[in-house]
Amino acid sequence: MATLEEVLDFYAAGGRHITSGPNAGDGRAHPNKSDLISRIDLTTQDKADLVAFLKTLTDSDFLTNPKFSNPHAAP
């Protein structure tokens, strides 16, 4: 999944439906799916609000500050 919106759609649907390939099928109805995974109803506004909140958790300054980079990375 490439975007937060796609992730929210996945969780809101209670899983995914793969239409082709070796893993094709409706995972939302799989008999081994955990009962803890269930469909949730999100309005368009709910989804937009949740995405906006999640984006506030990204600290770009921290992520790009060399002071906090991996000390074991090759130079």
Side-chain angles (χ1 to χ4, degrees):
M1 290 171 244
T3 66
L4 288 172
E5 290 82 1
E6 289 176 3
V7 172
L8 291 178
D9 289 340
F10 169 80
Y11 282 105
R16 63 184 170 169
H17 182 222
I18 301 173
T19 56
S20 63
N23 297 315
D26 190 350
R28 300 167 295 186
H30 194 281
N32 294 331
K33 184 178 111 176
S34 170
D35 292 337
L36 299 174
I37 300 172
S38 62
R39 190 178 186 296
I40 58 173
D41 290 320
L42 292 175
T43 66
T44 302
Q45 188 62 54
D46 291 336
K47 190 163 70 166
D49 291 344
L50 189 50
V51 167
F53 167 72
L54 291 171
K55 287 183 177 181
T56 68
L57 301 176
T58 302
D59 184 348
S60 297
D61 291 334
F62 174 81
L63 292 174
T64 58
N65 188 331
K67 186 165 107 176
F68 302 115
S69 66
N70 182 351
H72 305 291

